[in-house]
Amino acid sequence: MVRIYHNTRCSKSRATLALLEQHVGTYEVINYLDSPPSTAELDVLLNQLGMTARELLRTGEAEYQSLGLDDPALDDATLIAAMVAHPKLIERPIVVVNGKAVIGRPPEAVLAIL
């Protein structure tokens, strides 16, 4: 099953979804701003992406600054908790296929795991 963590307001996310429509028969769309991933789900996604929590953060979001997430002393658990509470901080889109995940920036990056 192919799954995309999608934000309808994001042009890269919409472009990635369009690629999935062209290349995949069935896929699941998770509007992660409405249904944020849990701490456990984020842990799994980070493992599938091969990324740290800090690497998955959107540093340009207002919440990043207001929550002081630029503090290098913050551990992954704290950063993950911030993303669960403020899903806008999660880099997007994330596509998961057969236990592998990739961020669709650029959208064509997802083709590597399809």
Side-chain angles (χ1 to χ4, degrees):
M1 172 58 106
V2 177
R3 177 179 301 138
I4 179 171
Y5 289 84
H6 179 60
N7 178 345
T8 58
R9 294 180 153 197
C10 173
S11 62
K12 299 289 186 206
S13 195
R14 290 191 307 269
T16 301
L17 186 60
L19 272 176
L20 291 181
E21 289 171 356
Q22 292 173 2
H23 295 278
V24 178
T26 305
Y27 54 89
E28 177 185 9
V29 177
I30 298 171
N31 291 310
Y32 71 93
L33 294 179
D34 298 330
S35 300
S38 67
T39 299
E41 289 170 321
L42 269 178
D43 279 335
V44 169
L45 284 172
L46 286 168
N47 284 329
Q48 291 171 328
L49 288 163
M51 296 174 77
T52 66
R54 186 162 299 284
E55 291 171 325
L56 191 60
L57 280 171
R58 292 179 56 83
T59 60
E61 297 296 334
E63 292 88 345
Y64 181 82
Q65 295 302 322
S66 67
L67 296 170
L69 298 177
D70 57 341
D71 180 349
L74 297 176
D75 63 6
D76 275 4
T78 302
L79 298 176
I80 289 170
M83 287 187 272
V84 169
H86 306 275
K88 202 171 167 184
L89 290 166
I90 301 170
E91 187 60 78
R92 67 201 178 237
I94 301 170
V95 175
V96 180
V97 181
N98 296 324
K100 295 180 184 176
V102 69
I103 294 177
R105 289 184 173 271
E108 295 77 20
V110 304
L111 296 175
I113 64 169
L114 293 181

